[in-house]
Amino acid sequence: MSNNKRYLVVDAGNTRIKAAIFNDEEIIEIHHFANTELQQLKSFLIDTRYHGAILSSVRSAKETQWMLQLMPNALLFRIQAKLPIQLDYETPETLGADRLANAIAAFHIAQGNCVIIDVGTCIKFDFVAENGRYQGGSISPGIQLRYKSMNSFTAALPLINITSPAKLIGKTTVDCMHSGVIGGIQAEINQFILNYKTVYQDLSIFVTGGDAQHFDFESKNSIFVNENLTLFGLYITLKEHAN
């Protein structure tokens, strides 16, 4: 039976802030605030009524505290909080909040071996074992970082921003850069998926991140795509903390 309890989840990233209202594990409202819309965010937080709230923030301590003051009794998401999964990670203090929240969400859904592919500023693979222990993963540059590095560290290569599917063989320098970045990331993703499937036959795969839309994923019927995976992981943590 559904209930009317509303839970506020706020994910404050470097370039934007996402705020969602959950009820019974479903998002019933979602809002996005740019860095220039902090006054709108303030009004939203003041006006929103909720049963419980959680904040994940990579912002400065000053900005994070400002948001917490607008969210009375909110839980601040951090490694030290009560978490639904265990960490087998040698440097937990360096683990990004988004990676941890994604892992929590994926394991809650899969209840078994799962790998999360987050295609954003960086391309992150994270693995949670069937016993609910986060193991780690990999990080590599995303689309824009690869384009910018070629422009920054060479004298002749231009700065481009092309995300459409690429031809295997480029006929111009720009086309070659496009093929190398988009095709290279696609090959990287495909090979990592194959590597994980070789080791873990009973495996659930989750995909999230703003740039995931630019790539094809093999065996799509066995891959779960969820652009709000991080928010869901924060919500699950909030409910776990309340129990």
Side-chain angles (χ1 to χ4, degrees):
M1 180 180 296
S2 63
N3 61 64
N4 294 320
K5 290 183 178 179
R6 293 157 53 92
Y7 294 89
L8 172 63
V9 176
V10 178
D11 179 22
N14 289 307
T15 59
R16 67 174 180 172
I17 298 170
K18 296 173 70 174
I21 302 294
F22 279 82
N23 176 257
D24 279 350
E25 298 195 359
E26 296 289 337
I27 293 178
I28 58 175
E29 288 182 35
I30 189 165
H31 305 270
H32 300 83
F33 301 94
N35 288 338
T36 57
E37 298 175 317
L38 295 183
Q39 188 58 46
Q40 291 92 320
L41 171 66
K42 178 180 179 180
S43 298
F44 170 78
L45 294 178
I46 291 174
D47 294 340
T48 299
R49 298 293 177 263
Y50 50 80
H51 182 74
I54 186 170
L55 168 66
S56 173
S57 174
V58 297
R59 301 292 182 111
S60 67
K62 181 178 180 180
E63 284 189 72
T64 299
Q65 189 60 37
W66 174 76
M67 285 182 282
L68 282 174
Q69 290 175 349
L70 298 172
M71 301 169 61
N73 302 314
L75 173 68
L76 180 61
F77 182 70
R78 59 192 190 280
I79 298 297
Q80 295 81 6
K82 181 181 178 182
L83 300 174
I85 61 175
Q86 302 297 313
L87 302 181
D88 280 347
Y89 199 65
E90 294 181 0
T91 56
E93 70 280 0
T94 69
L95 182 60
D98 55 345
R99 296 176 66 193
L100 180 56
N102 287 341
I104 290 169
F107 185 76
H108 179 82
I109 297 169
Q111 292 296 304
N113 292 327
C114 55
V115 62
I116 305 95
I117 309 168
D118 188 345
V119 188
T121 304
C122 290
I123 298 166
K124 293 163 285 190
F125 278 72
D126 292 285
F127 177 72
V128 185
E130 60 185 356
N131 60 0
R133 302 190 72 87
Y134 172 83
Q135 303 296 310
S138 61
I139 304 174
S140 66
I143 295 174
Q144 299 306 321
L145 285 177
R146 297 187 194 211
Y147 281 142
K148 288 178 180 178
S149 66
M150 285 193 286
N151 173 251
S152 297
F153 293 101
T154 66
L157 294 180
L159 178 61
I160 64 175
N161 180 16
I162 307 173
T163 57
S164 58
K167 296 179 180 179
L168 177 63
I169 301 174
K171 292 295 188 180
T172 68
T173 297
V174 167
D175 286 346
C176 289
M177 295 171 66
H178 179 204
S179 177
V181 169
I182 301 300
I185 291 175
Q186 183 70 72
E188 176 183 327
I189 289 172
N190 291 346
Q191 187 60 50
F192 263 104
I193 290 176
L194 179 61
N195 292 348
Y196 274 101
K197 284 186 172 180
T198 300
V199 178
Y200 304 99
Q201 295 182 355
D202 184 16
L203 180 70
S204 297
I205 300 172
F206 294 81
V207 177
T208 191
D211 284 339
Q213 60 183 314
H214 303 306
F215 300 95
D216 291 324
F217 293 89
E218 297 179 357
S219 304
K220 288 185 177 179
N221 58 337
S222 64
I223 294 178
F224 304 92
V225 180
N226 187 337
E227 63 179 342
N228 295 315
L229 197 65
T230 304
L231 292 173
F232 186 64
L234 294 173
Y235 167 77
I236 294 301
T237 302
L238 175 61
K239 293 299 295 289
E240 176 78 11
H241 197 270
N243 292 334

